[in-house]
Short mmCIF file of all heavy atoms in Angstrom, two decimals:
data_model
loop_
_atom_site.label_atom_id
_atom_site.label_comp_id
_atom_site.label_asym_id
_atom_site.label_seq_id
_atom_site.Cartn_x
_atom_site.Cartn_y
_atom_site.Cartn_z
N HIS A 229 95.77 79.82 86.91
CA HIS A 229 96.19 78.62 87.64
C HIS A 229 97.40 78.11 86.72
O HIS A 229 97.28 77.72 85.61
CB HIS A 229 95.09 77.57 87.59
CG HIS A 229 93.84 78.00 88.21
ND1 HIS A 229 93.69 77.90 89.60
CD2 HIS A 229 92.70 78.65 87.78
CE1 HIS A 229 92.45 78.33 89.90
NE2 HIS A 229 91.83 78.77 88.78
N VAL A 230 98.55 78.11 87.33
CA VAL A 230 99.79 77.67 86.62
C VAL A 230 100.16 76.34 87.25
O VAL A 230 100.54 76.23 88.44
CB VAL A 230 100.92 78.68 86.72
CG1 VAL A 230 102.19 78.24 85.99
CG2 VAL A 230 100.46 80.07 86.14
N GLY A 231 100.21 75.33 86.32
CA GLY A 231 100.54 73.97 86.84
C GLY A 231 99.25 73.39 87.35
O GLY A 231 98.30 74.00 87.80
N HIS A 232 99.10 72.06 87.32
CA HIS A 232 97.95 71.27 87.74
C HIS A 232 97.75 71.41 89.26
O HIS A 232 98.56 71.31 90.09
CB HIS A 232 98.18 69.85 87.39
CG HIS A 232 96.94 69.06 87.37
ND1 HIS A 232 96.06 68.95 86.30
CD2 HIS A 232 96.31 68.37 88.43
CE1 HIS A 232 94.97 68.20 86.68
NE2 HIS A 232 95.16 67.91 87.85
N ASP A 233 96.48 71.79 89.59
CA ASP A 233 96.02 71.77 90.80
C ASP A 233 94.58 71.29 90.92
O ASP A 233 93.97 70.88 89.85
CB ASP A 233 96.07 73.18 91.53
CG ASP A 233 95.23 74.17 90.85
OD1 ASP A 233 94.29 73.92 90.07
OD2 ASP A 233 95.50 75.48 91.07
N ASP A 234 93.91 71.25 92.12
CA ASP A 234 92.47 70.65 92.23
C ASP A 234 91.61 71.33 91.30
O ASP A 234 90.48 70.79 91.01
CB ASP A 234 92.07 70.72 93.75
CG ASP A 234 92.86 69.83 94.51
OD1 ASP A 234 93.61 68.86 94.05
OD2 ASP A 234 92.98 70.06 95.75
N LYS A 235 91.71 72.58 91.05
CA LYS A 235 90.77 73.45 90.36
C LYS A 235 90.71 72.89 88.81
O LYS A 235 89.61 72.89 88.18
CB LYS A 235 91.23 74.91 90.18
CG LYS A 235 90.14 75.83 89.78
CD LYS A 235 89.03 75.82 90.79
CE LYS A 235 88.08 76.95 90.33
NZ LYS A 235 86.83 77.13 91.11
N TRP A 236 91.78 72.31 88.29
CA TRP A 236 91.81 71.69 86.95
C TRP A 236 90.72 70.49 87.03
O TRP A 236 89.93 70.44 86.07
CB TRP A 236 93.17 71.09 86.65
CG TRP A 236 94.26 72.12 86.25
CD1 TRP A 236 94.71 73.17 87.11
CD2 TRP A 236 94.93 72.25 85.08
NE1 TRP A 236 95.69 73.91 86.37
CE2 TRP A 236 95.81 73.29 85.18
CE3 TRP A 236 94.93 71.52 83.91
CZ2 TRP A 236 96.70 73.65 84.11
CZ3 TRP A 236 95.76 71.89 82.89
CH2 TRP A 236 96.65 72.89 83.02
N ASP A 237 90.89 69.64 88.01
CA ASP A 237 89.97 68.57 88.01
C ASP A 237 88.44 68.93 88.26
O ASP A 237 87.49 68.44 87.78
CB ASP A 237 90.38 67.59 89.18
CG ASP A 237 91.78 67.05 89.01
OD1 ASP A 237 92.07 66.84 87.72
OD2 ASP A 237 92.45 66.81 89.96
N GLU A 238 88.34 70.05 89.16
CA GLU A 238 86.95 70.53 89.37
C GLU A 238 86.37 71.07 88.15
O GLU A 238 85.14 70.79 87.93
CB GLU A 238 87.11 71.63 90.53
CG GLU A 238 85.89 72.26 90.93
CD GLU A 238 85.99 73.41 91.90
OE1 GLU A 238 86.73 73.26 92.79
OE2 GLU A 238 85.39 74.44 91.73
N GLN A 239 87.06 71.70 87.32
CA GLN A 239 86.55 72.28 85.91
C GLN A 239 86.56 71.26 84.85
O GLN A 239 86.26 71.61 83.71
CB GLN A 239 87.38 73.55 85.69
CG GLN A 239 87.04 74.73 86.59
CD GLN A 239 85.71 75.25 86.47
OE1 GLN A 239 84.80 74.87 85.78
NE2 GLN A 239 85.37 76.11 87.37
N HIS A 240 87.24 70.06 85.13
CA HIS A 240 87.36 69.06 84.01
C HIS A 240 88.26 69.50 82.93
O HIS A 240 87.99 69.23 81.83
CB HIS A 240 86.04 68.55 83.57
CG HIS A 240 85.16 68.02 84.62
ND1 HIS A 240 85.30 66.94 85.34
CD2 HIS A 240 84.02 68.58 85.32
CE1 HIS A 240 84.42 66.66 86.21
NE2 HIS A 240 83.73 67.70 86.25
N ILE A 241 89.32 70.25 83.35
CA ILE A 241 90.30 70.69 82.29
C ILE A 241 91.28 69.57 82.25
O ILE A 241 91.92 69.28 83.24
CB ILE A 241 90.96 72.10 82.68
CG1 ILE A 241 89.89 73.15 82.98
CG2 ILE A 241 91.96 72.53 81.67
CD1 ILE A 241 89.11 73.63 81.71
N ASN A 242 91.49 69.00 81.04
CA ASN A 242 92.49 68.00 80.96
C ASN A 242 93.65 68.27 80.01
O ASN A 242 94.46 67.43 79.59
CB ASN A 242 91.72 66.70 80.50
CG ASN A 242 91.11 66.83 79.22
OD1 ASN A 242 91.13 67.90 78.56
ND2 ASN A 242 90.30 65.81 78.83
N ASN A 243 93.66 69.57 79.47
CA ASN A 243 94.73 69.90 78.54
C ASN A 243 94.77 71.37 78.60
O ASN A 243 93.88 72.23 78.74
CB ASN A 243 94.19 69.54 77.08
CG ASN A 243 95.42 69.41 76.07
OD1 ASN A 243 96.56 69.75 76.41
ND2 ASN A 243 95.06 68.97 74.95
N ALA A 244 96.04 71.84 78.48
CA ALA A 244 96.41 73.26 78.51
C ALA A 244 96.71 73.78 77.16
O ALA A 244 97.12 73.13 76.21
CB ALA A 244 97.63 73.50 79.41
N PRO A 245 96.39 75.11 76.89
CA PRO A 245 95.72 76.02 77.84
C PRO A 245 94.30 75.74 77.96
O PRO A 245 93.65 75.22 76.98
CB PRO A 245 96.02 77.36 77.21
CG PRO A 245 96.10 77.17 75.87
CD PRO A 245 96.77 75.73 75.68
N GLY A 246 93.60 76.24 79.02
CA GLY A 246 92.21 76.20 79.08
C GLY A 246 91.67 77.53 79.63
O GLY A 246 92.26 78.14 80.38
N LEU A 247 90.49 77.82 79.24
CA LEU A 247 89.88 79.15 79.67
C LEU A 247 88.40 78.80 80.03
O LEU A 247 87.56 78.26 79.27
CB LEU A 247 89.83 80.08 78.53
CG LEU A 247 91.20 80.75 78.23
CD1 LEU A 247 91.13 81.58 76.88
CD2 LEU A 247 91.63 81.70 79.40
N VAL A 248 88.05 79.26 81.33
CA VAL A 248 86.70 79.18 81.65
C VAL A 248 86.21 80.67 81.80
O VAL A 248 86.96 81.48 82.41
CB VAL A 248 86.61 78.55 83.12
CG1 VAL A 248 85.16 78.63 83.63
CG2 VAL A 248 87.13 77.12 83.09
N VAL A 249 85.20 80.97 81.03
CA VAL A 249 84.68 82.34 80.99
C VAL A 249 83.30 82.38 81.60
O VAL A 249 82.42 81.68 81.26
CB VAL A 249 84.67 82.79 79.55
CG1 VAL A 249 84.09 84.26 79.48
CG2 VAL A 249 85.95 82.71 78.90
N GLY A 250 83.14 83.12 82.66
CA GLY A 250 82.00 83.15 83.43
C GLY A 250 81.92 81.73 84.14
O GLY A 250 82.86 81.39 84.81
N ASP A 251 80.87 81.01 83.94
CA ASP A 251 80.83 79.68 84.60
C ASP A 251 80.93 78.53 83.46
O ASP A 251 80.60 77.38 83.86
CB ASP A 251 79.55 79.58 85.41
CG ASP A 251 78.28 79.74 84.68
OD1 ASP A 251 78.44 80.04 83.47
OD2 ASP A 251 77.17 79.60 85.14
N LEU A 252 81.37 78.81 82.40
CA LEU A 252 81.46 77.79 81.34
C LEU A 252 82.87 77.61 80.88
O LEU A 252 83.56 78.54 80.68
CB LEU A 252 80.57 78.26 80.07
CG LEU A 252 79.05 78.41 80.36
CD1 LEU A 252 78.54 78.96 78.99
CD2 LEU A 252 78.40 77.07 80.57
N VAL A 253 83.22 76.40 80.78
CA VAL A 253 84.44 75.97 80.09
C VAL A 253 84.38 76.32 78.61
O VAL A 253 83.53 75.57 77.91
CB VAL A 253 84.87 74.44 80.30
CG1 VAL A 253 86.12 74.21 79.58
CG2 VAL A 253 84.92 74.16 81.79
N LYS A 254 85.08 77.26 78.17
CA LYS A 254 84.92 77.70 76.73
C LYS A 254 86.04 77.17 75.84
O LYS A 254 85.72 76.98 74.64
CB LYS A 254 84.87 79.21 76.59
CG LYS A 254 83.70 79.78 77.37
CD LYS A 254 82.37 79.31 76.80
CE LYS A 254 82.16 79.91 75.47
NZ LYS A 254 80.85 79.58 74.91
N PHE A 255 87.29 77.09 76.24
CA PHE A 255 88.35 76.72 75.40
C PHE A 255 89.26 75.77 76.16
O PHE A 255 89.70 76.02 77.26
CB PHE A 255 89.14 77.98 75.04
CG PHE A 255 88.36 79.00 74.24
CD1 PHE A 255 87.88 80.09 75.07
CD2 PHE A 255 87.93 78.91 72.98
CE1 PHE A 255 87.16 81.08 74.43
CE2 PHE A 255 87.17 79.97 72.45
CZ PHE A 255 86.77 80.95 73.12
N VAL A 256 89.58 74.60 75.59
CA VAL A 256 90.57 73.62 76.11
C VAL A 256 91.45 73.22 74.93
O VAL A 256 91.05 72.73 73.98
CB VAL A 256 89.80 72.38 76.83
CG1 VAL A 256 90.81 71.45 77.38
CG2 VAL A 256 88.81 72.88 77.88
N GLY A 257 92.81 73.37 75.27
CA GLY A 257 93.82 72.77 74.34
C GLY A 257 94.10 73.84 73.28
O GLY A 257 94.95 73.43 72.42
N VAL A 258 93.48 74.97 73.25
CA VAL A 258 93.69 75.99 72.16
C VAL A 258 93.80 77.28 72.81
O VAL A 258 93.17 77.66 73.80
CB VAL A 258 92.76 75.92 71.13
CG1 VAL A 258 92.59 74.51 70.42
CG2 VAL A 258 91.34 76.32 71.51
N ALA A 259 94.49 78.16 72.19
CA ALA A 259 94.42 79.64 72.47
C ALA A 259 93.56 80.25 71.48
O ALA A 259 93.84 80.24 70.21
CB ALA A 259 95.85 80.19 72.44
N PRO A 260 92.39 80.74 71.91
CA PRO A 260 91.51 81.32 70.78
C PRO A 260 92.01 82.66 70.26
O PRO A 260 92.93 83.30 71.01
CB PRO A 260 90.23 81.65 71.68
CG PRO A 260 90.79 81.79 73.08
CD PRO A 260 91.83 80.89 73.17
N ASP A 261 91.47 83.05 69.08
CA ASP A 261 91.83 84.35 68.74
C ASP A 261 91.09 85.44 69.55
O ASP A 261 90.09 85.07 70.20
CB ASP A 261 91.66 84.53 67.18
CG ASP A 261 90.22 84.49 66.74
OD1 ASP A 261 89.27 84.71 67.55
OD2 ASP A 261 89.98 84.15 65.62
N TYR A 262 91.55 86.61 69.43
CA TYR A 262 90.85 87.67 70.41
C TYR A 262 89.48 87.93 70.14
O TYR A 262 88.62 88.02 71.09
CB TYR A 262 91.61 88.96 70.08
CG TYR A 262 91.33 89.94 71.16
CD1 TYR A 262 91.75 89.92 72.52
CD2 TYR A 262 90.53 91.09 70.84
CE1 TYR A 262 91.41 90.80 73.49
CE2 TYR A 262 90.23 92.10 71.84
CZ TYR A 262 90.68 91.89 73.17
OH TYR A 262 90.30 92.84 74.13
#
Side-chain angles (χ1 to χ4, degrees):
H229 303 274
V230 179
H232 193 89
D233 63 16
D234 292 340
K235 195 70 171 175
W236 287 60
D237 298 330
E238 184 181 311
Q239 292 290 354
H240 303 287
I241 304 290
N242 58 7
N243 202 352
L247 286 168
V248 176
V249 181
D251 58 354
L252 296 175
V253 176
K254 296 300 287 184
F255 306 98
V256 176
V258 302
D261 65 21
Y262 190 70

